[in-house]
Each structure stands twice: as C-alpha cells, then as structure tokens.
DNA sequence: CAAAGCTGTGCACACGTGTGTATCGCTGAA
DNA sequence: TTCAGCGATACACACGTGTGCACAGCTTTG
C-alpha cells in the first residue's frame, strides 16, 4: 500500500508502452541529434504529454555529466552575496546548468562538509563564495573530475580556479581619493572576520598612508555588518583625535558607519567627514547615503565562471583578477584645488 | 583518451575491490540500520577514505526519494526574498534535504518551465516563492508524488500546500495605526506588480479608510522597488492635497518613499508625515529610517515548510496563515491623546 | 551431539537513462 | 531481379545504488 503510492513518477518505459514503440524510441525523441521518424516522434510526444513525462535527469546523470553546479555560500542575506548568487544562478541556467545552493558556515569544517555534499551529487563544478575549504578536499574534488572555482577566496590556495577583484588597487585608490579631498587624519573600518580580501584592502590602504606619513587608525568592531559599522563610529568618535577620512572595507560597514557618525555625533558628510566603501550594493545609491564606493563587476565575473565550467577541466589552475570600478557619489568632497 | 579522463568518480565497486569485500558490503556500510561486522566496516571505511569515495546520491535517488527540494524564486536580490531563501536552505539542510534554486521570472511561462525542471530532477518537493505556475502543471507535480508548497501566492490556486501571512490584518492595522497618530489624509504606495498579497494589503486598507470616511489616494509608480517608492513620493507631493499618513505595501517602497519625501520635499517624518511599511527587512531598522512596519515570521514559515515536506504527501491541500507582527519604530507619531 | 537460531556476506535484481550494434524494411541502381 | 545503401527501430549493456533472498559459519539449547 505505502509502496504502491510511492512509485509514481512516470518513466520512459510507460510512455513507450502507451505510444506502442520501444523505450529507446522515446529516449531518442528527447535527445537531439538522434534519428527518429516524424511519425513515431509525434506518437511519443503525444503520449508523453498525456502522461506528464519528464526525462529523469538523475538517471541521465549516471552516464554523463550531471549538469549540476553547487554553490557553497554563507550569509546569502548579505546584499553583495545575494547579487552574486542571482547572477550565477541566472547565467548558469542559461548555459543549461542547474544550481544547488549549500548554505554553509564559514568555518573550514562546515565548508568541507559542503564540499562532501557536492561530491555526493556528482556536481560538474563547485563554486565557493564563502569560507575556505581544506586543500585536501579540493584535491579530492579535482581528482574526481570536478571543477572547483573559488571567488574572492584566499590566494595561496593551491587547487582550483581562482577569481577575485584587485583589492590592492581599491585600497590604494581609496587612499588617494581621500587625500585629494583634503583629508588629514585617516581611518579604516574593517570587520573581525579576517577574510583575505578585507585584510588586503586594509593592508594596502594603511601602507599607502604610512608611506605618505599620514596617521591612520584601524577599527574592527564586529562581523561584516551594518551594526559593526555603527559601533565603529561610536568607538572612533568617542576619542579625541577623530579621523576626517575613512575607508570602510565594505559598503555595509560604510552605511552603518555613516549613520553612526551622523545620528550620534552630528557629523556632516562629506563636510566634516569623507567616507568610501566597497562593493556598490544597491543601498549605497539610496538618497540617505549616496556613498562613493567601488563596484565589483559581478556580471562579468559570473560570466567568466560559466565559461570556466563550460569547458571540461581546462588548463589546470587559473587566476583571474577583475578591476573594481570607482563609483563617484556624494560621500567624498570634490578634490580641493 | 577523452573518454578515459571523464570516467573519474570513484564508485562503490572500486572501494569493494580495494577493501577485498563485496560491493554490497560497501553499500551496507554507508546505510545505517544495515548489519555489517566491525571488521569489514573498518576495511571499507579505510579504503573509502583512501580513494576519496562519496556515495552517489543521484543513483540512490533512482530507487527512493531524491532528497532534493526545488526553490522557484524570482528576484532573489530583494532582501525579504533573500532572507526567506536563507531560512529555507538552512532548515532544509538540517532536515537532510538539499536545495536546488531555480531563478525564474515571474511570468507564468517561466515558472512553468521551472516546474518542469523540478520534475526533471525528481525533486521531493517544490517551493514556489515567486510567480504563479499554471494549475495544470501543479497537478502534474502532485500526480507524480511531488509536494508543492506555495508561499504568499495567489489563494485561489487549487493544488498544493499554501502558506502566507494575514495581509488583511496588516492593511486594517496599518489604517488604525495611522488614524491613532492623527493622520487625516491617507495614501497607499503599491507597485505595478499585481501580486495577490500586495493587492490584498491595499484593498483592505482602502476599504477601512472609505468605511471611516477618510480620503485615500493610491499610487503605483513601478515595480516593487526602492526606486518606485522614490517616484511615488514625487508624484504624491507634487499635487496640492498631499497625504500625511502613508501605508507602503513593502518596506523597499517605504524606504524609497521616505527618502523621496525628505530629500526632495523637506518633509519631516514623523512630524509631518507618518509612514508604515511591510516585511521588516534589515534596512528598515537602519538609523536613517527606523521604519514602523510589520514583520513576517519567516523562521516559523520555513519551519512549517520543512515539516510539510518531511511527511510524505500528508492530507492533501493545506492552507496556513501566519500573523505578521507590528514592529514599532519612529516613522509613526505616538498616538495623539 | 544434533538441531535450531542468529549474524554476516554475496548474488541478483530494479531503478531510468543513453547509445552501440544488429536487424528490418524500403529505395534505387545495375 | 539482385544487391548495395540507408534510415528507423529493437535489443542489450552500462551507469551506481539499496535490498530481498539464499547461504555459510558460528553460537546456543535441548
């Protein structure tokens, strides 16, 4: 009884019986390039329509590529990540792939568990957006013929394709933008999540400042979030020597920081304080903020990922760096003459 | 050559050969409840570890449930939707399911194509967050033993489980909140996307106002977005008789509307204008807005979805309505004495 | 000591495909 | 008329599992 109701999905054999042809005729009807006469094709299609037949991609995946791509991601709620997931799913779909999302934590163990899942489902490729998987597990994926793509992850990871943005350029550029606006005391607002990208942006900015002999203070008040930016403002402006130009390594941090500075300390932006962010999330363009920031070319990056996956295990590792584009808005004063 | 490199995933047979046992021993080792001696289990696990074996869930899915759940969603970038996807993926994963995301458009044809995909991959269940699929295709899914869950979709759809929030309650409550704050001329800001939920919120609000003899104007300036809210403000406050209390059927609309009113018309909120939103997205709590709104109990809803899917094709259709919770912040004046 | 019970393992089948190979029927040319 | 050629179709196999069934080996009981 309970067994009977479980066996319900309609298979090619049932379609064949109904259409009065062999099962392979059905199979060939649904694979293009195979030769079927117009008459049988018509019969098959009609029977399939009647029965509600859909080719079983799981079974198909046993023989050839599964066309499954796994996205390993934490914190999908973050605007920048949501946007990236959106771009990837959309473009992968257009390329005939289906997307599995594995919502992982950022710790290595969780990411490794996610990688295991990816192998369980014989995914053609795995795209890691968050956290850093163990090198050995990446090796396993590669050995099993699975592509691995790491986005904005740690550079010193050996295996897999690697793509990210030029964080150093952004850090340097942010410094010059603030200097050109006449800022004398600089600050960096970053998060306690020690991601390679964030560290790099901070490091280059600080180095550029020190090289020019400009004082810099670094503040990390919590995870990469609006609340941490808010808290960073409290810490920074509670002191005596507050900065007048701040580079926030993330837009979310920047927006919280702006609100904290304005709401709790009545600081005018960009009059008394210039702020630069990174990511160019939708909220950065909202009227209350109009944040000057850097945009990641997410669409191009997604396109590149799809291209990488399309070709079967192309020339080993590849490292591709995209240029973030400065987006001028109103949180930084025009350059002083 | 090109064939040789394709056949790379390690199978149970290879593990069996390496461990010197039968393939079924390997299979039993990885299915709990099966009886295997400690000795062979140890040998199998060791060989599996060595070879990097992972059970093929696609093959497993041929015999029993696939443990795949498909999420059909458009506009994953929208904060409320991203949050829901986050909750669902997380909870489904905890329940031993894997999530496939199908990024669809909202038109019926796209959603139907997505439903087709869902059948292709023999998903145990499909959760529709956006758009309204054709009733006949839902019927097909149901006939194939697949669960269908519609979240905040059109009510008059026959098949599948249905869950959503009490939009009527929110519309009514919004009216009373604004009236209690002393608002005399009301307005509704909605979108041109004629979703059932949005229509219901608007309808009830307008009816309550008309019943009480309070003037109401309805504005729809575009899709459900920040930009539409901004544009709605331009239209509303360009007229002579501007409203002093507005219910925006979505937080995104509300935030854009607030910014438009303040930035372009120097209107004080909540001094001259009270605004109420719906969804309670993270941005609504930001310092620049502090929007009074209604929160959807997304966590509970996700939990309910998981519970529905867990039991195999429980008692047919079910309709469950969740109560949105009013969230008091600063965009509405305290009640006048 | 014999019989019965219990545990662990191997064989074989089913799940739903795609495709290589053989067969069958038909057309056209010699 | 015969035979090559060709297009369409049926058969069989492989893909990687989970599991029912039979059987071997060991333990327990009378």
């Amino acid at each position: 009884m309970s067994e009977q109701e479980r066996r319900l999905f309609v298979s090619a054999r049932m379609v064949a019986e109904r259409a009065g042809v062999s099962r392979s005729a059905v199979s060939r009807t649904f694979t293009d390039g195979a030769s079927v006469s117009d008459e049988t094709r018509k019969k098959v299609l009609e029977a399939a329509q009647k029965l509600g037949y859909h080719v079983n991609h799981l079974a198909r995946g046993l023989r050839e590529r599964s066309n499954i791509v796994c996205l390993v991601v934490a914190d999908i709620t973050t605007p920048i990540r949501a946007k990236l997931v959106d771009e990837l799913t959309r473009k992968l779909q257009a390329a005939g792939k289906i997307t599995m999302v594995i919502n992982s934590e950022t710790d290595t163990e969780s990411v490794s568990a996610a990688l295991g899942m990816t192998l369980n489902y014989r995914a053609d490729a795995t795209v890691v957006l968050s956290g850093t998987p163990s090198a050995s597990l990446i090796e396993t994926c590669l050995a099993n013929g699975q592509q691995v793509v790491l986005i904005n992850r740690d550079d010193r990871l050996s295996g897999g394709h690697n793509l990210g943005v030029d964080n150093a350029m952004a850090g340097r550029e942010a410094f010059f933008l603030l200097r050109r606006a006449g800022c004398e005391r600089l600050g960096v607002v970053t998060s306690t999540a020690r991601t390679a990208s964030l560290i790099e942006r901070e490091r280059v900015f600080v180095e550029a400042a020190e090289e020019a002999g400009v004082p810099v203070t670094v503040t990390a008040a919590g995870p990469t979030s609006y609340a941490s930016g808010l808290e960073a403002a409290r810490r920074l402006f509670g002191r005596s020597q507050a900065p007048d130009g701040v580079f926030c390594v993330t837009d979310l941090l920047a927006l919280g920081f702006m609100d904290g500075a304005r709401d709790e300390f009545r600081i005018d932006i960009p009059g008394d304080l210039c702020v630069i962010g990174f990511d160019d999330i939708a909220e950065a363009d909202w009227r209350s903020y109009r944040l000057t920031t850097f945009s990641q070319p997410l669409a191009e990056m997604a396109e590149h990922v799809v291209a990488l996956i399309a070709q079967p295990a192309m020339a080993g590792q590849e490292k591709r760096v995209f240029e973030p584009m400065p987006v001028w808005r109103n949180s930084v004063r025009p350059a002083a003459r």
Side-chain angles (χ1 to χ4, degrees), chain A:
Chain A
M1 178 74 88
S2 72
E3 291 303 322
Q4 186 182 4
E5 57 188 312
R6 185 165 317 242
R7 184 87 36 245
L8 278 171
F9 274 102
V10 36
S11 72
R13 193 173 46 106
M14 305 186 204
V15 177
E17 281 174 10
R18 171 131 187 172
V21 298
S22 81
R23 193 187 57 73
S24 25
V26 178
S27 183
R28 284 184 229 277
T29 302
F30 289 101
T31 52
D32 40 28
S35 85
V36 198
S37 74
D38 288 349
E39 190 191 359
T40 51
R41 155 170 283 124
K42 185 159 172 284
K43 280 194 292 186
V44 168
L45 286 179
E46 191 179 353
Q49 168 71 25
K50 214 75 172 180
L51 266 54
Y53 170 69
H54 290 251
V55 179
N56 187 335
H57 280 41
L58 301 185
R60 177 183 279 177
L62 279 188
R63 305 189 75 254
E64 39 215 85
R65 319 226 328 261
S66 64
N67 283 328
I68 295 176
V69 175
C70 279
L71 259 47
V72 178
V73 55
D75 242 338
I76 201 182
T77 305
T78 305
I80 183 73
R81 210 111 35 174
K83 185 75 184 139
L84 187 48
V85 170
D86 181 57
E87 290 282 354
L88 282 172
T89 51
R90 191 164 263 131
K91 295 215 161 63
L92 284 170
Q93 226 164 281
K97 306 287 185 184
I98 189 88
T99 311
M100 272 185 172
V101 171
I102 304 186
N103 197 332
S104 152
E105 302 297 325
T106 51
D107 61 302
T108 302
E109 193 177 355
S110 296
V111 175
S112 296
L115 265 279
M117 268 295 180
T118 235
L119 287 169
N120 279 327
Y121 279 98
R122 264 36 172 187
D124 292 348
T126 299
V127 183
V128 181
L129 308 184
S130 310
T132 48
S134 75
S136 70
L137 206 39
I138 291 185
E139 209 49 54
T140 302
C141 290
L142 259 39
N144 285 21
Q146 191 176 74
Q147 307 249 20
V148 178
V149 182
L150 305 170
I151 300 188
N152 281 338
R153 298 339 297 162
D154 201 332
D155 287 348
R156 58 188 166 65
L157 278 174
S158 53
H161 301 289
N162 223 301
L163 72 168
V165 293
D166 190 343
N167 295 298
M169 181 275 234
R172 209 176 311 117
E173 192 74 16
F175 168 76
F176 286 122
L177 287 182
L178 290 178
R179 282 299 284 172
R180 228 171 290 151
C183 299
E184 301 286 349
R185 299 176 306 282
L186 301 183
V188 178
V189 171
T190 182
S191 84
T192 49
R194 306 304 292 164
T195 310
S197 302
L198 303 188
I199 291 177
E200 179 80 350
R201 285 173 215 159
E202 170 197 333
R203 189 181 62 76
V204 172
F205 183 88
V206 169
E207 279 182 13
E210 284 174 349
E211 216 168 275
V214 184
V216 204
T217 58
V218 177
T219 312
T224 318
S225 66
Y226 173 91
S228 299
L230 202 67
E231 175 61 24
R234 289 198 193 104
R235 292 196 193 168
L236 266 180
F237 297 111
R239 295 188 214 165
S240 51
Q241 279 283 38
D244 61 352
V246 173
F247 174 40
C248 301
V249 296
T250 275
D251 277 2
L252 269 186
L253 287 168
L255 301 182
F257 183 74
M258 287 176 75
D259 274 347
R262 289 189 299 205
D263 199 50
E264 303 195 1
F265 298 93
R266 302 293 152 202
I267 294 173
D268 179 54
I269 300 173
D272 305 325
L273 171 70
C274 294
V275 179
I276 296 183
F278 190 96
D279 279 345
D280 191 32
I281 62 180
E283 289 84 344
D285 193 32
W286 288 5
R287 279 297 207 285
S288 291
Y289 304 100
R290 307 246 60 218
L291 174 69
T292 294
T293 184
F294 296 89
S295 79
Q296 298 194 46
L298 297 182
E300 291 172 41
M301 291 166 75
E303 218 154 310
H304 187 243
V305 170
V306 173
L308 281 177
I309 291 175
Q311 52 200 348
M314 187 63 177
Q317 284 49 287
E318 189 183 331
K319 166 94 181 141
R320 170 85 178 266
V321 176
F322 290 81
E323 292 296 311
M325 285 288 296
V327 180
W328 281 95
R329 295 208 186 92
N330 301 349
S331 66
V332 174
R333 286 188 294 275
R337 281 284 158 187

